[in-house]
Amino acid sequence: MTLFGSATVASAQTYPVTPTQRATAQQTAQTGIPVSELAPNAPDEYTVKRGDTLWAISRMYLRTPWRWPELWGMNLNDIRNPHLIYPGQVLYLDKTGGRARLSTRRGTGAPEGTIKLSPHTRTESLSGMALPTLNAALIEPFLTEPIVVDEDTVKFAPRIVAGNDNHVLLSRGDRAYARGEANAPLIEKPGPINQYRVFRNATPLKDPATAEILGYEAQYLGKVQLQRSETTETMMQDGKEVTNVVPATVDVVAAKEEIRAGDRLLPEPPRQLLSYAPRAPAGTITNGRIISVYGNAVQFAAQNQVVSINKGTRDGIETGNVLAILKNGETIVDRTNGNKDTLKLPNERIGLLMVFRPFEKVSYALVLEISDTPKAGDLLINP
């Protein structure tokens, strides 16, 4: 399959394919998957629509939707990013020889073909039209708002020291003053406008199994824009020369909650991508647990809710990895025979989640499907 040149180049730069995905693609482009692994009502032909997500299409075709790369027949010489699918494309399901393949060319049984999005000239970027894996509205705030850092990162980050006109609580449109540590003043850096995210209350994220502190989750409050750098000013006072710190000037450009003195500033990170292929982790995940459900005083997770988990990049977790949620079976006392034996009920599979923002030791994941109510401490395994 081929894409229009400019879109191919752009997407190749912004949507990398992992070595594991590429190896899987090379194998299954030839073999496909067993027809028995298709969803019962998998359509022979489907036209991709605006509003579709890769996960929804995966579920339409597969009993195990995280195995999407294995179904998608592709020619890797032409397609560098095979999981990019666009509205208007027609997907054809080939079940020749008891093996299933999905392509954009009818009845070939092979991955080659040409994607033609429209017979007329397009003036919009194809890279921006690619289907997201998930509904972007569900996770987009979490790509910039909560952040996991080590204790020192927040402790030594620049801080708000005062509001303009003695304002104590600051909101959008207010001016404030901030400073860094003595050896790291808050100054403008070359390049685009300097923006910072404002955080408070770095809450420790503790592994439910080992009690190890995996990081600190900083509470997102808003954004400020740096207007003037921190400087110093020397003046005469009581006949002596005194040097005072002149804090940096910042303007509040967004506020989720009111900002106050003592809140910390961290640089605005690059925007993360919203499209990636759902897939099982490359290795076996052991001792995986849900750490917490995102939100103040929230104990149980609902579908489409964000949770933090105790696995990250050091454990081989990548964006797009799907994990199964197991309800941690309770320990009970058997009172049915008079012996009062202690029993551990079986762990029951109750749902799936997908990692969308991994850090070194923890990750944020979206709960995709549930049959019961997940909570902190529930187990995570390969799907």
CSV table of all heavy atoms in Angstrom, one decimal, residues 258-284:
chain,number,residue,atom,x,y,z
A,258,GLU,N,-7.3,27.9,41.5
A,258,GLU,CA,-6.6,29.2,41.8
A,258,GLU,C,-5.2,28.9,42.2
A,258,GLU,O,-4.9,27.9,42.9
A,258,GLU,CB,-7.4,29.9,43.0
A,258,GLU,CG,-8.7,30.4,42.5
A,258,GLU,CD,-9.5,31.1,43.7
A,258,GLU,OE1,-9.5,30.6,44.8
A,258,GLU,OE2,-10.1,32.2,43.4
A,259,ILE,N,-4.3,29.8,41.8
A,259,ILE,CA,-2.9,29.6,42.0
A,259,ILE,C,-2.5,30.6,43.1
A,259,ILE,O,-3.0,31.7,43.3
A,259,ILE,CB,-2.1,30.0,40.7
A,259,ILE,CG1,-2.5,28.9,39.6
A,259,ILE,CG2,-0.6,30.0,40.9
A,259,ILE,CD1,-2.0,29.3,38.2
A,260,ARG,N,-1.5,30.2,43.9
A,260,ARG,CA,-1.0,31.0,45.1
A,260,ARG,C,0.5,30.9,45.3
A,260,ARG,O,1.1,30.1,44.7
A,260,ARG,CB,-1.8,30.6,46.3
A,260,ARG,CG,-1.6,29.2,46.8
A,260,ARG,CD,-2.3,28.9,48.1
A,260,ARG,NE,-2.0,27.6,48.6
A,260,ARG,CZ,-2.9,26.6,48.7
A,260,ARG,NH1,-4.2,26.8,48.3
A,260,ARG,NH2,-2.6,25.4,49.2
A,261,ALA,N,1.0,31.8,46.1
A,261,ALA,CA,2.4,31.7,46.4
A,261,ALA,C,2.8,30.4,47.0
A,261,ALA,O,2.1,29.8,47.8
A,261,ALA,CB,2.7,32.8,47.5
A,262,GLY,N,4.0,29.9,46.5
A,262,GLY,CA,4.5,28.6,46.9
A,262,GLY,C,4.2,27.5,45.9
A,262,GLY,O,4.9,26.5,45.9
A,263,ASP,N,3.3,27.8,44.9
A,263,ASP,CA,3.1,26.8,43.9
A,263,ASP,C,4.3,26.8,42.9
A,263,ASP,O,5.0,27.8,42.7
A,263,ASP,CB,1.8,27.1,43.1
A,263,ASP,CG,0.6,26.9,43.9
A,263,ASP,OD1,0.6,26.1,44.8
A,263,ASP,OD2,-0.4,27.6,43.6
A,264,ARG,N,4.6,25.6,42.4
A,264,ARG,CA,5.8,25.4,41.6
A,264,ARG,C,5.6,25.4,40.1
A,264,ARG,O,4.5,25.1,39.6
A,264,ARG,CB,6.4,24.0,42.0
A,264,ARG,CG,6.8,23.9,43.5
A,264,ARG,CD,8.0,24.7,43.8
A,264,ARG,NE,8.3,24.6,45.2
A,264,ARG,CZ,9.5,25.0,45.7
A,264,ARG,NH1,10.5,25.4,44.9
A,264,ARG,NH2,9.7,25.0,47.0
A,265,LEU,N,6.7,25.8,39.4
A,265,LEU,CA,6.6,25.9,37.9
A,265,LEU,C,7.5,24.8,37.3
A,265,LEU,O,8.7,24.7,37.7
A,265,LEU,CB,7.1,27.3,37.5
A,265,LEU,CG,6.4,28.5,38.1
A,265,LEU,CD1,7.0,29.7,37.5
A,265,LEU,CD2,4.9,28.4,38.0
A,266,LEU,N,7.0,24.1,36.3
A,266,LEU,CA,7.8,23.2,35.5
A,266,LEU,C,7.6,23.6,34.0
A,266,LEU,O,6.5,23.9,33.6
A,266,LEU,CB,7.4,21.8,35.7
A,266,LEU,CG,7.7,21.2,37.1
A,266,LEU,CD1,7.1,19.9,37.3
A,266,LEU,CD2,9.2,21.2,37.3
A,267,PRO,N,8.7,23.5,33.2
A,267,PRO,CA,8.5,23.8,31.8
A,267,PRO,C,7.5,23.1,31.0
A,267,PRO,O,7.2,21.9,31.3
A,267,PRO,CB,9.9,23.5,31.2
A,267,PRO,CG,10.8,23.5,32.4
A,267,PRO,CD,10.0,23.0,33.5
A,268,GLU,N,6.8,23.8,30.1
A,268,GLU,CA,5.8,23.1,29.3
A,268,GLU,C,6.4,22.1,28.4
A,268,GLU,O,7.4,22.4,27.7
A,268,GLU,CB,5.1,24.2,28.4
A,268,GLU,CG,4.0,23.6,27.5
A,268,GLU,CD,2.7,23.4,28.2
A,268,GLU,OE1,2.6,23.7,29.4
A,268,GLU,OE2,1.8,22.8,27.6
A,269,PRO,N,6.0,20.8,28.5
A,269,PRO,CA,6.7,19.8,27.7
A,269,PRO,C,6.2,19.8,26.2
A,269,PRO,O,5.1,20.4,25.9
A,269,PRO,CB,6.2,18.5,28.4
A,269,PRO,CG,4.9,18.8,28.9
A,269,PRO,CD,4.9,20.3,29.2
A,270,PRO,N,6.9,19.1,25.3
A,270,PRO,CA,6.4,18.9,24.0
A,270,PRO,C,5.0,18.2,24.0
A,270,PRO,O,4.8,17.3,24.8
A,270,PRO,CB,7.5,18.1,23.3
A,270,PRO,CG,8.7,18.2,24.1
A,270,PRO,CD,8.2,18.4,25.5
A,271,ARG,N,4.2,18.5,23.1
A,271,ARG,CA,2.9,17.9,23.0
A,271,ARG,C,3.1,16.4,22.6
A,271,ARG,O,3.8,16.1,21.6
A,271,ARG,CB,2.0,18.6,22.0
A,271,ARG,CG,0.6,18.0,21.9
A,271,ARG,CD,-0.2,18.8,20.9
A,271,ARG,NE,-1.5,18.2,20.7
A,271,ARG,CZ,-2.6,18.4,21.5
A,271,ARG,NH1,-2.4,19.1,22.5
A,271,ARG,NH2,-3.7,17.8,21.2
A,272,GLN,N,2.4,15.5,23.3
A,272,GLN,CA,2.6,14.1,22.9
A,272,GLN,C,1.5,13.7,21.9
A,272,GLN,O,0.5,14.3,21.7
A,272,GLN,CB,2.4,13.2,24.2
A,272,GLN,CG,3.5,13.5,25.2
A,272,GLN,CD,3.6,12.4,26.2
A,272,GLN,OE1,3.0,11.3,26.1
A,272,GLN,NE2,4.3,12.6,27.3
A,273,LEU,N,1.9,12.6,21.2
A,273,LEU,CA,1.0,12.1,20.1
A,273,LEU,C,-0.2,11.4,20.7
A,273,LEU,O,-0.2,10.8,21.8
A,273,LEU,CB,1.8,11.1,19.3
A,273,LEU,CG,3.1,11.7,18.6
A,273,LEU,CD1,3.8,10.6,17.9
A,273,LEU,CD2,2.7,12.8,17.7
A,274,LEU,N,-1.3,11.4,19.9
A,274,LEU,CA,-2.6,10.8,20.4
A,274,LEU,C,-2.9,9.5,19.6
A,274,LEU,O,-4.0,9.0,19.8
A,274,LEU,CB,-3.7,11.8,20.2
A,274,LEU,CG,-3.6,13.1,21.1
A,274,LEU,CD1,-4.8,14.0,20.8
A,274,LEU,CD2,-3.6,12.7,22.6
A,275,SER,N,-2.0,9.1,18.8
A,275,SER,CA,-2.3,7.9,18.0
A,275,SER,C,-1.2,6.9,18.1
A,275,SER,O,0.0,7.2,17.9
A,275,SER,CB,-2.5,8.3,16.5
A,275,SER,OG,-3.1,7.3,15.8
A,276,TYR,N,-1.6,5.6,18.4
A,276,TYR,CA,-0.6,4.6,18.5
A,276,TYR,C,-1.4,3.3,18.4
A,276,TYR,O,-2.6,3.2,18.6
A,276,TYR,CB,0.1,4.7,19.9
A,276,TYR,CG,-0.6,5.3,21.0
A,276,TYR,CD1,-1.6,4.7,21.7
A,276,TYR,CD2,-0.4,6.7,21.3
A,276,TYR,CE1,-2.4,5.3,22.6
A,276,TYR,CE2,-1.1,7.3,22.2
A,276,TYR,CZ,-2.1,6.6,22.9
A,276,TYR,OH,-2.9,7.2,23.9
A,277,ALA,N,-0.7,2.2,18.2
A,277,ALA,CA,-1.3,0.9,17.9
A,277,ALA,C,-1.6,0.1,19.3
A,277,ALA,O,-0.6,0.0,20.0
A,277,ALA,CB,-0.5,0.0,17.0
A,278,PRO,N,-2.8,-0.3,19.5
A,278,PRO,CA,-3.0,-1.2,20.7
A,278,PRO,C,-2.3,-2.5,20.5
A,278,PRO,O,-2.3,-3.1,19.5
A,278,PRO,CB,-4.5,-1.4,20.7
A,278,PRO,CG,-4.9,-1.2,19.3
A,278,PRO,CD,-4.0,-0.2,18.7
A,279,ARG,N,-1.6,-2.9,21.5
A,279,ARG,CA,-0.8,-4.2,21.5
A,279,ARG,C,-0.5,-4.7,22.8
A,279,ARG,O,-0.4,-3.9,23.8
A,279,ARG,CB,0.5,-4.0,20.6
A,279,ARG,CG,1.4,-3.0,21.3
A,279,ARG,CD,2.5,-2.6,20.3
A,279,ARG,NE,3.5,-1.7,20.9
A,279,ARG,CZ,3.4,-0.4,21.2
A,279,ARG,NH1,2.2,0.2,20.8
A,279,ARG,NH2,4.3,0.3,21.7
A,280,ALA,N,-0.2,-6.0,22.9
A,280,ALA,CA,0.2,-6.6,24.2
A,280,ALA,C,1.7,-6.2,24.5
A,280,ALA,O,2.4,-5.9,23.5
A,280,ALA,CB,0.1,-8.1,24.1
A,281,PRO,N,2.1,-6.1,25.7
A,281,PRO,CA,3.5,-5.8,26.0
A,281,PRO,C,4.4,-6.8,25.4
A,281,PRO,O,4.0,-8.0,25.2
A,281,PRO,CB,3.6,-5.9,27.5
A,281,PRO,CG,2.2,-5.6,28.0
A,281,PRO,CD,1.3,-6.2,26.9
A,282,ALA,N,5.6,-6.4,25.0
A,282,ALA,CA,6.6,-7.4,24.4
A,282,ALA,C,7.0,-8.4,25.3
A,282,ALA,O,7.3,-9.6,24.9
A,282,ALA,CB,7.8,-6.6,23.9
A,283,GLY,N,7.1,-8.1,26.6
A,283,GLY,CA,7.5,-9.1,27.6
A,283,GLY,C,6.4,-9.4,28.6
A,283,GLY,O,5.3,-8.9,28.5
A,284,THR,N,6.7,-10.4,29.5
A,284,THR,CA,5.7,-10.7,30.5
A,284,THR,C,5.7,-9.8,31.6
A,284,THR,O,6.8,-9.4,32.2
A,284,THR,CB,6.0,-12.2,31.0
A,284,THR,OG1,6.0,-13.1,29.9
A,284,THR,CG2,5.0,-12.6,32.1
